[in-house]
């Protein structure tokens, strides 16, 4: 079945450091890819998405590029802030409406020190 | 726009009891999905409702059931609660038309089974 694999965490960085969170996927077709963020005590918020190969999603300084050849969707940010501390989930969804469930990775906790 | 709203926010139940969780989708959305997020894990798909019918189901036992009402709101029912049902239950809504719309999540209901 479809699956998402995220790098093991947690990750602790100093403010203004560069961030990379790895995500790879396995899917039978051509999924849309997502990064969701979960702040403490809250639900999930969509951070960015990409719907086809070579698309780059971006939001709030975060970026991720849909790499079909490596089945990856790594999340990057050039300079993290304390406010970026949260849990980050990579997810995929197949395109058809009747099979539109999201499949999530296990998530990774990011802590940013001042 | 209130977004996706879930109630209650927290709930404590005793093993063997039954529980009902509620979700109101984002205005204009017609599809509701439910996810279970155990501590330290990514959300797992339970089922999805569209046009008042269960359209897709994840790997959850029949103790988990749901309903969608004509106003698109939804309920998740869990019977014969087990300690392992303790989790954050997330509701997500989306719009069927267009096929590839993003899902918006509520803040979740934290269920504790004792």
């Amino acid at each position: 079945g479809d699956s998402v694999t995220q790098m093991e965490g947690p990750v602790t960085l100093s403010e203004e450091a560069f961030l990379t969170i790895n995500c790879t996927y396995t899917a039978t077709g051509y999924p849309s890819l997502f990064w969701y963020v979960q702040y403490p005590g809250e639900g999930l918020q969509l951070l960015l998405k990409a719907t086809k190969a070579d698309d780059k999603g971006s939001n709030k300084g975060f970026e991720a590029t849909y790499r079909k050849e490596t089945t990856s969707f790594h999340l990057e940010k050039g300079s993290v802030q304390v406010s970026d501390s949260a849990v980050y989930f990579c997810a995929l969804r197949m395109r058809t409406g009747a099979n539109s469930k999201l499949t999530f990775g296990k998530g990774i906790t990011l802590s940013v020190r001042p | 726009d209130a977004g996706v709203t879930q109630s209650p926010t927290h709930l404590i139940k005793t093993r063997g009891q039954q529980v009902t969780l509620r979700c109101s989708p984002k205005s204009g959305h017609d599809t509701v999905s439910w996810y279970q997020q155990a501590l330290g894990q990514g959300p797992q798909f339970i089922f999805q409702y569209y046009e008042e019918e269960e359209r897709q189901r994840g790997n959850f036992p029949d103790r988990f059931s749901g309903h969608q009402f004509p106003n698109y709101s939804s309920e998740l029912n869990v019977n014969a609660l087990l300690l392992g049902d303790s989790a954050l239950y997330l509701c997500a809504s989306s719009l069927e038309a267009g096929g590839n719309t993003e899902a918006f999540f509520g803040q979740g209901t934290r269920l504790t089974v004792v």
Side-chain angles (χ1 to χ4, degrees):
Chain A
D2 303 333
S3 65
V4 174
T5 302
Q6 292 186 233
M7 58 184 282
E8 293 290 328
V11 173
T12 301
L13 296 173
S14 297
E15 202 165 25
E16 299 184 2
F18 183 83
L19 169 71
T20 298
I21 301 177
N22 290 342
C23 171
T24 57
Y25 68 90
T26 301
T28 53
Y30 301 99
S32 295
L33 301 174
F34 304 83
W35 278 99
Y36 280 86
V37 59
Q38 187 173 38
Y39 297 101
E42 298 187 12
L44 299 177
Q45 299 178 25
L46 179 65
L47 181 58
L48 53 84
K49 67 178 182 181
T51 58
K52 60 183 186 296
D54 300 325
D55 269 2
K56 177 185 284 187
S58 62
N59 186 28
K60 299 181 181 179
F62 290 90
E63 292 183 341
T65 300
Y66 190 142
R67 301 290 188 197
K68 180 182 172 185
E69 62 276 13
T70 55
T71 62
S72 65
F73 193 55
H74 304 322
L75 182 68
E76 297 182 337
K77 187 175 185 182
S79 176
V80 294
Q81 306 300 312
V82 172
S83 57
D84 294 327
S85 299
V87 183
Y88 292 81
F89 294 94
C90 184
L92 68 80
R93 187 179 71 198
M94 303 311 294
R95 290 188 175 184
T96 58
N99 184 21
S100 57
K101 69 173 185 177
L102 284 160
T103 299
F104 288 89
K106 289 187 174 181
I108 187 168
T109 300
L110 170 65
S111 297
V112 180
R113 300 181 299 227
Chain B
D1 182 1
V4 180
T5 59
Q6 293 186 241
S7 63
T9 54
H10 295 84
L11 201 54
I12 300 175
K13 288 288 190 178
T14 302
R15 190 172 47 183
Q17 285 188 316
Q18 180 264 346
V19 68
T20 297
L21 311 182
R22 295 175 175 82
C23 172
S24 292
K26 181 179 170 62
S27 178
H29 284 185
D30 57 8
T31 302
V32 173
S33 302
W34 287 91
Y35 293 82
Q36 180 195 65
Q37 185 181 7
L39 196 62
Q41 300 295 315
Q44 297 292 314
F45 176 75
I46 302 174
F47 42 53
Q48 182 181 85
Y49 277 84
Y50 172 67
E51 292 188 334
E52 302 180 46
E53 292 194 356
E54 183 183 294
R55 176 164 69 176
Q56 191 181 7
R57 188 178 184 93
N59 189 25
F60 280 80
D62 291 345
R63 298 187 297 109
F64 290 76
S65 63
H67 189 77
Q68 185 179 34
F69 299 93
N71 66 353
Y72 308 120
S73 66
S74 177
E75 290 182 348
L76 164 65
N77 300 292
V78 187
N79 294 322
L81 284 166
L82 304 174
L83 297 180
D85 295 332
S86 296
L88 180 68
Y89 288 85
L90 296 166
C91 170
S93 73
S94 57
L95 180 62
E96 171 67 12
N100 199 25
T101 59
E102 63 187 81
F104 287 80
F105 283 80
Q107 291 199 324
T109 294
R110 173 73 63 187
L111 173 65
T112 302
V113 183
V114 298

